[in-house]
Amino acid sequence: AVEHTNQDQTVWNGEDGIVHFYQCELPYDVDETFAISNYVGYRVGTDVKRHSAYGLGIYSNFRDFDVEVDTAVIHPEISGIHLRNIFTVK
């Protein structure tokens, strides 16, 4: 589990990573700068060619400001990246 870091919560830069179940809550006391900076709950590095993740859950409760992030997960759009059963809750 990762919670409340004021930048990306997890950044995965290694090859052949496999994650089974990941829980993350985005920081609740940030302002819109968090979204503008494109921070996310789970990021797979742009140079990663092979990565698998199953059961990613990213939650948000932005209590102090109206923050709207574009996505909770960012990863390269290539055939070696496999993400399954990802959900977000606001």
Side-chain angles (χ1 to χ4, degrees), residues 32-74:
E32 49 279 341
T33 304
F34 185 83
I36 292 168
S37 299
N38 205 29
Y39 293 133
V40 295
Y42 193 88
R43 181 183 302 269
V44 179
T46 57
D47 294 331
V48 175
K49 304 295 184 229
R50 294 173 313 278
H51 183 78
S52 298
Y54 308 92
L56 304 181
I58 290 90
Y59 313 87
S60 65
N61 179 23
F62 299 119
R63 68 161 193 226
D64 298 336
F65 297 94
D66 187 22
V67 178
E68 187 172 326
V69 296
D70 290 332
T71 185
V73 177
I74 292 178

